[in-house]
């Protein structure tokens, strides 16, 4: 509908990543020039967990994994503290469900986040990225956004 009306399109890639590319393609295929836009405009929302070290980013991401794992079990939860090993919390089915839900997530150190961010933008041709960060510790969450901001401008 956004394409037909010539409006911007936002897609929650962190909620339905499996539909992301098809939804963006449909929007662009059906886009019509309007009083609002001369060309398509895509905002893509994704999960981002960044830290100074890759292993720390992976550990911080376990809070996000736990949240989505509990959602798959019908047990919504606030953000939980990170854990050192998710294997104690999920089985193969739970791990696969979380991976399917979060495969568009950007997780890593500054170099990895920059690379993943630019690859995602290139793949989707998005005009704007909205970052959702599920990190338990407030200071670590702020640092994640700082790293992302640096990756976005460089």
């Amino acid at each position: 509908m956004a394409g037909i009306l010539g409006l911007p399109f936002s897609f929650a890639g962190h909620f339905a990543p499996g539909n992301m590319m098809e939804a963006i393609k449909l929007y662009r295929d059906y886009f019509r020039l309007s009083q609002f836009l001369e060309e398509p405009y895509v905002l893509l929302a994704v999960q981002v967990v960044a830290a100074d070290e890759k292993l720390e980013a992976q550990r911080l991401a376990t809070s996000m994994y736990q949240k989505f794992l509990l959602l798959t079990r019908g047990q919504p939860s606030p953000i939980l503290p990170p854990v050192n090993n998710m294997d104690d919390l999920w089985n193969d089915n739970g791990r696969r469900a979380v991976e399917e839900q979060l495969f568009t997530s950007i997780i890593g150190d500054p170099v990895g986040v920059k690379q993943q961010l630019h690859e995602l933008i290139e793949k989707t041709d998005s005009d704007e990225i909205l970052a959702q960060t599920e990190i338990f510790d407030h200071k670590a969450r702020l640092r994640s956004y700082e790293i992302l901001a640096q990756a976005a401008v460089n």
Side-chain angles (χ1 to χ4, degrees):
M1 185 60 77
I4 291 170
L5 296 175
L7 298 171
F9 178 65
S10 296
F11 187 80
H14 59 308
F15 289 147
N19 298 323
M20 178 179 67
M21 295 307 295
E22 181 180 358
I24 293 171
K25 181 183 182 321
L26 283 171
Y27 167 69
R28 288 198 173 106
D29 287 349
Y30 284 93
F31 182 82
R32 294 182 188 158
L33 177 73
S34 73
Q35 66 184 16
F36 307 107
L37 290 175
E38 294 181 9
E39 58 187 36
Y41 187 92
V42 175
L43 180 147
L44 179 61
V46 295
Q47 296 279 1
V48 177
V49 177
D52 292 308
E53 301 293 330
K54 182 178 179 178
L55 288 175
E56 178 62 7
Q58 291 170 340
R59 188 183 76 78
L60 292 172
T62 63
S63 293
M64 176 177 63
Y65 299 156
Q66 290 176 80
K67 182 174 182 174
F68 279 91
L69 179 63
L70 290 171
L71 280 174
T72 66
R73 295 176 179 167
Q75 303 168 330
S77 169
I79 300 174
L80 298 171
V83 296
N84 292 326
N85 187 351
M86 284 296 296
D87 291 337
D88 296 334
L89 303 175
W90 59 20
N91 58 27
D92 287 342
N93 289 335
R95 180 185 48 77
R96 277 193 296 275
V98 169
E99 287 173 350
E100 285 176 15
Q101 184 63 41
L102 299 174
F103 79 88
T104 60
S105 298
I106 295 173
I107 301 168
D109 62 8
V111 172
V113 166
K114 180 178 179 176
Q115 178 182 346
Q116 293 170 62
L117 176 64
H118 290 277
E119 286 172 0
L120 181 66
I121 291 169
E122 185 175 313
K123 177 181 178 180
T124 62
D125 196 24
S126 295
D127 299 286
E128 189 172 347
I129 298 292
L130 184 147
Q132 165 66 23
T133 301
E134 299 278 349
I135 295 178
F136 182 76
D137 179 75
H138 182 68
K139 287 182 182 178
R141 188 176 327 122
L142 291 176
R143 179 66 184 134
S144 179
Y145 282 122
E146 289 173 355
I147 292 168
L148 177 61
Q150 287 297 315
V153 296
N154 293 327

